[in-house]
Amino acid sequence: MSYNEAKEKYSKIGVDTEKALEQLAKAQISLHCWQGDDVRGFDSDPDKPLTGGIQTTGNYPGRARTPEELMADIDEVLKLIPGKAKLNLHASYAIFDKENGGYVDRDKLEPKHFKRWVDFCKERGIGCDFNPTFFSHEKCDPLTLSSPNAETRKFWIEHGKACIRISSYLAKELGEPCIMNIWTGDGYKDIPADRKGPRERYRDSIEQILSESFDFKEVKPCVESKVFGIGVESYTVGSAEFALSFAAAHSDKCIPLMDNGHYHPTEVVSDKIPALLAFFPEIALHITRPVRWDSDHVVLLDDETKEIAKEIVNCGGLNGSVHMALDYFDASINRIGAWVTGYRNVQKALLYALLSPNDEFKALQDEGNFTKLMIAREELKTMPFGDVWAEFCTRNNAPVDGEWYKEIKRYEDDVLSKRA
Ligand code: RNT
Ligand code: ZN
C-alpha cells in the first residue's frame, strides 16, 4: 500500500497523517553517546571496571575507543535515523588534548574539554544534553554525593558544579536547552544500619550543586531515581521517593527523571508520566528496556514502549514538557545496529500514538462506552502504520525499513572490524 492510500484510511477514522508526520519531525530524542563504547568514556583507563551498579555485557567487536571513532559512529547513526536528534554526553567523554592543557580530574572539568563536542554538534545542527559522571572512578568510595567522607563528597559536589557550568556552555553555544541529569549508583549491597544519613547528605550535596548559578531556561538539572543495582541490591540512596521529593521541593530549578528500568518489575512508567505531569510542568525520561532487571536492553517496539509514547503524546509531552532520552548499552551485537534500532523504535512508538484518534478515544472513555473503545483500539492495530512510517523516513532523508541493515553491515566490514 502506498502512503496516499494509508492517508485516506487514517482520515476515515479521523486521523490526519500529515499532522502526525509534522509533529514527529519536531520530536526531539536525545541520543546517548554511551551505546558506542560500553559506557567507558575517555577520561581514564578504558579497561577499568564499570561501577555504580550498572553493567554492559557482551564483547562484540568494534567498540569506539577514541573521540574520533565515537564521532564517526554517531555520524553513522545520524545517517540512519529520521527526525531531529540531540546528543547526550557524559562528563567522562571529556576530550583532553595539548591545546586544552591535557588531563584534569572530574572536579576540574571545564567547558573547553567539550569544545570539540560543541563543534561536532554545531556542524550537524544539533543540541546537546549532559550528565555528570558519578561512577567508574577511584573517588567513588564507593559512595559519591552521599558519602560519609567529607572529602569524597566535596570532590563530587565540585564535579556536579563543573557540570552545571559545562551544561550552560553547551546550551549557550548550541542555542538549545541542556538537560543535565544527576544519577549516582550510591547504595549498599546489604541492609543498611542508617538509611536516613546518606539521603540527608545526598540532598545537601545536590542542593550545593544547584547553588551554582545557571538559567533554568538553559540548563535543566534532573534527578534520576533507581530501585537497585548490581552490588547495591539492598538500598539505593536516590530512590523514587527521594528523587521525586527532591524535585518537588526544588521545582524552581530541578525536574524529575524517570528511567523505565528503575522500578519494580510490575510498575510501569507509562502510568507515572501523567501522574507527574499533574504536578510538574516538565519531566525527563530515560527510555530503555529492562529484561527482569535494569538490564538496559535495546528498546523494542513493545507494548510498554508504545504505552509510554501514547502517554507522552496524550499529555502534550511533545510540546516540550517531556524530555526524552535513550539509555541502554548492549555490547553483544553491532553497537550501531543497537543504537539505530532503539532510536527508530521510540520514533515508531510516537508515530503510532500520533496516528490514533486520541480525542475520540478520550470521549468514549468519558461517555463510558468501553465496548466501542476496545473495538476501535484493537482495530487500530491493523491500520497501515508501516506506510506512514516509510513516508516519514523518506521525507526526513533516512532509509526505510529493510534498507538500512546493509549499511550497518558495510560499516562493520569497512570500519568496525578493522578496530583490533
Ligand atoms: C543507570 C542510570 C544512568 C546511566 C547513564 C549512563 O542505571 O540509568 O542513567 O545508565 O547515566
Ligand atoms: Zn538512566
Side-chain angles (χ1 to χ4, degrees), residues 279-344:
F279 295 92
F280 292 93
E282 286 175 82
I283 64 168
L285 298 177
H286 272 181
I287 307 176
T288 189
R289 177 165 54 108
V291 179
R292 305 193 188 281
W293 67 289
D294 179 37
S295 58
D296 290 294
H297 278 57
V298 179
V299 176
L300 300 183
L301 187 59
D302 55 17
D303 285 348
E304 174 57 5
T305 306
K306 282 197 225 162
E307 197 62 21
I308 287 174
K310 183 196 111 199
E311 291 303 329
I312 296 171
V313 167
N314 279 2
C315 296
L318 294 186
N319 298 332
S321 55
V322 179
H323 303 285
M324 299 174 280
L326 302 180
D327 183 15
Y328 52 81
F329 21 97
D330 192 332
S332 74
I333 54 177
N334 179 300
R335 291 173 184 76
I336 298 180
W339 240 333
V340 176
T341 299
Y343 197 97
R344 288 171 68 107

Side-chain angles (χ1 to χ4, degrees), residues 34 39 54 90 135 183 224 226 259 262 286 294 327 329:
W34 51 94
V39 209
I54 54 176
H90 244 284
F135 54 85
W183 169 75
E224 178 181 12
K226 193 160 176 173
D259 179 313
H262 292 189
H286 272 181
D294 179 37
D327 183 15
F329 21 97

Side-chain angles (χ1 to χ4, degrees), residues 221-377:
C222 307
V223 184
E224 178 181 12
S225 69
K226 193 160 176 173
V227 63
F228 82 95
I230 299 281
V232 281
E233 288 86 357
S234 300
Y235 170 74
T236 292
V237 184
S239 61
E241 292 73 16
F242 174 91
L244 210 47
S245 305
F246 186 95
H250 301 82
S251 59
D252 57 327
K253 50 179 171 181
C254 180
I255 63 180
L257 186 146
M258 296 189 289
D259 179 313
N260 62 306
H262 292 189
Y263 296 88
H264 291 283
T266 59
E267 280 185 81
V268 281
V269 161
S270 51
D271 186 60
K272 298 176 193 293
I273 292 169
L276 262 55
L277 287 174
F279 295 92
F280 292 93
E282 286 175 82
I283 64 168
L285 298 177
H286 272 181
I287 307 176
T288 189
R289 177 165 54 108
V291 179
R292 305 193 188 281
W293 67 289
D294 179 37
S295 58
D296 290 294
H297 278 57
V298 179
V299 176
L300 300 183
L301 187 59
D302 55 17
D303 285 348
E304 174 57 5
T305 306
K306 282 197 225 162
E307 197 62 21
I308 287 174
K310 183 196 111 199
E311 291 303 329
I312 296 171
V313 167
N314 279 2
C315 296
L318 294 186
N319 298 332
S321 55
V322 179
H323 303 285
M324 299 174 280
L326 302 180
D327 183 15
Y328 52 81
F329 21 97
D330 192 332
S332 74
I333 54 177
N334 179 300
R335 291 173 184 76
I336 298 180
W339 240 333
V340 176
T341 299
Y343 197 97
R344 288 171 68 107
N345 279 337
V346 174
Q347 290 181 305
K348 282 184 183 173
L350 290 169
L351 181 62
Y352 190 85
L354 288 164
L355 291 175
S356 154
N358 295 314
D359 291 341
E360 192 198 317
F361 288 175
K362 279 183 205 170
L364 288 172
Q365 172 175 313
D366 291 346
E367 284 160 23
N369 194 342
F370 298 109
T371 308
K372 190 170 179 199
L373 178 60
M374 182 182 73
I375 293 170
R377 288 209 285 200

Side-chain angles (χ1 to χ4, degrees), residues 2-302:
S2 71
Y3 169 66
N4 283 329
E5 279 174 82
K7 182 176 167 182
E8 186 72 6
K9 277 205 159 188
Y10 275 105
S11 123
K12 283 201 184 117
I13 60 160
V15 172
D16 180 350
T17 55
E18 287 297 314
K19 195 173 154 210
L21 291 175
E22 260 169 52
Q23 285 177 285
L24 185 61
K26 285 188 245 153
Q28 246 184 344
I29 302 163
S30 200
L31 181 74
H32 57 317
C33 74
W34 51 94
Q35 164 58 42
D37 75 330
D38 312 341
V39 209
R40 290 176 203 232
F42 308 129
D43 71 343
S44 49
D45 170 11
D47 294 323
K48 70 178 182 300
L50 188 60
T51 70
I54 54 176
Q55 191 64 267
T56 47
T57 52
N59 53 3
Y60 200 85
R63 170 177 74 79
R65 298 154 305 174
T66 62
E68 294 70 29
E69 288 181 352
L70 189 61
M71 286 176 183
D73 292 357
I74 293 169
D75 268 335
E76 191 60 19
V77 174
L78 294 176
K79 247 203 270 183
L80 300 176
I81 58 175
K84 193 166 166 31
K86 203 177 182 192
L87 183 62
N88 200 0
L89 286 178
H90 244 284
S92 53
Y93 292 79
I95 301 176
F96 305 112
D97 52 31
K98 279 195 204 89
E99 282 137 64
N100 66 29
Y103 173 79
V104 296
D105 211 343
R106 288 188 190 165
D107 59 333
K108 300 269 167 5
L109 284 172
E110 288 179 54
K112 66 181 181 187
H113 301 116
F114 294 88
K115 159 110 184 24
R116 279 177 60 198
W117 284 114
V118 161
D119 294 343
F120 177 87
C121 290
K122 276 188 184 163
E123 279 159 27
R124 285 143 192 88
I126 59 177
C128 192
D129 293 331
F130 199 65
N131 305 257
T133 312
F134 298 106
F135 54 85
S136 303
H137 188 280
E138 70 219 357
K139 293 224 166 58
C140 304
D141 71 11
L143 305 187
T144 63
L145 293 175
S146 70
S147 171
N149 179 319
E151 206 186 302
T152 302
R153 226 162 48 240
K154 171 130 199 318
F155 175 84
W156 291 111
I157 291 166
E158 288 308 317
H159 174 56
K161 289 182 168 186
C163 288
I164 295 260
R165 297 189 290 270
I166 293 161
S167 298
S168 289
Y169 161 75
L170 293 172
K172 285 197 169 67
E173 288 289 323
L174 300 171
E176 286 188 39
C178 173
I179 314 300
M180 192 199 94
N181 178 45
I182 296 175
W183 169 75
T184 74
D186 288 18
Y188 288 114
K189 182 182 177 77
D190 225 322
I191 302 163
D194 173 19
R195 294 176 189 265
K196 193 153 175 267
R199 288 188 173 131
E200 282 169 344
R201 293 190 291 267
Y202 195 20
R203 173 189 174 153
D204 175 72
S205 297
I206 309 174
E207 282 171 351
Q208 288 193 51
I209 292 172
L210 299 186
S211 73
E212 182 70 26
S213 91
F214 64 92
D215 180 346
F216 192 36
K217 286 198 279 303
E218 289 177 351
V219 178
K220 310 260 177 202
C222 307
V223 184
E224 178 181 12
S225 69
K226 193 160 176 173
V227 63
F228 82 95
I230 299 281
V232 281
E233 288 86 357
S234 300
Y235 170 74
T236 292
V237 184
S239 61
E241 292 73 16
F242 174 91
L244 210 47
S245 305
F246 186 95
H250 301 82
S251 59
D252 57 327
K253 50 179 171 181
C254 180
I255 63 180
L257 186 146
M258 296 189 289
D259 179 313
N260 62 306
H262 292 189
Y263 296 88
H264 291 283
T266 59
E267 280 185 81
V268 281
V269 161
S270 51
D271 186 60
K272 298 176 193 293
I273 292 169
L276 262 55
L277 287 174
F279 295 92
F280 292 93
E282 286 175 82
I283 64 168
L285 298 177
H286 272 181
I287 307 176
T288 189
R289 177 165 54 108
V291 179
R292 305 193 188 281
W293 67 289
D294 179 37
S295 58
D296 290 294
H297 278 57
V298 179
V299 176
L300 300 183
L301 187 59
D302 55 17

